[in-house]
Amino acid sequence: MIKLFASDLDGTLLNAFHATDRTILAAAREIVAVGAHLVLATGRTVTSARDQGFEDIPVEVVGSNGSIVRDGSGAVIKTFPLDPAVVEELLRAFPTICFDCASPDGTFITGSRAERQATFSRDGLVKRITMRGMRARMANDPTMHFSQSLPDILAHEVCKVNCRVPDEGLAREFKAYLAEHSDALVNAPFSPVMFEITSAGVNKGASIAWLAHHLGYTEDQVAVYGDGGNDLVMLERFEHAYATANGSDEAKRAAGTVIGPCYLHAVPRHMLRTLRRERDHVVIE
């Protein structure tokens, strides 16, 4: 019986506008009402599920690609931080890149707000429209701190480092650096234009397994859902794994089972079908 439903957000659990809606929230409420767990497994740095549109629903969060785990109240229960010396070397090696350094108490950014925004300049019109709501939330996020010095950043427990590198030459240099430091760093971005860096061995799959064990469940009591590059390890690890139809080919192969697209609420509907079937209830259409 599935006791823990873990899902990526963008392109998976959320709708086409990267937001929650009545269908998603109704499914979340039903899942937790029967004693099961809903876990947001995301590359986002999440300080509160409420801030992601889940209102007062007590859902757990495996955030920052598995490097920060929060319980249903939002409290941090586990972190998998980067070595501060590794973070310092990385930031010193690429002083012109605007880095987002995620910690349990916020995101500390090496560049200004304008410099960070400039890294999104190559996004197409459709993506700018669909991401509008998410970017509006980020623009008003009090946990995002800009123009931080290296000592400011190293004063916090950095768990994940994000960046976009529009310059192709610099991007190649950065990829080469990460390849040379693969013993300490792993890059698992949701999109090819992104870099999402955690400590080697840290990923959504490992952290979901840790959380399941923490809650007293076995891995065959977990169902996972994803669509992109930072979901691959998670999808490969668990027996009950599902990719959305809008997901990447790699995610579909890793999951083995493909359900409908996120814009038709495939994930919350599949969760409810599973939940109700296992409890001998009516299966939703």
Side-chain angles (χ1 to χ4, degrees), residues 167-190:
D167 181 271
E168 294 180 2
L170 183 58
R172 285 194 298 270
E173 183 181 346
F174 192 50
K175 288 177 182 178
Y177 178 93
L178 294 176
E180 292 172 1
H181 293 78
S182 60
D183 59 326
L185 301 171
V186 62
N187 176 39
F190 84 96

Side-chain angles (χ1 to χ4, degrees), residues 258-271:
V258 179
I259 58 176
C262 67
Y263 53 82
L264 292 181
H265 295 110
V267 170
R269 292 182 187 278
H270 187 275
M271 289 176 175

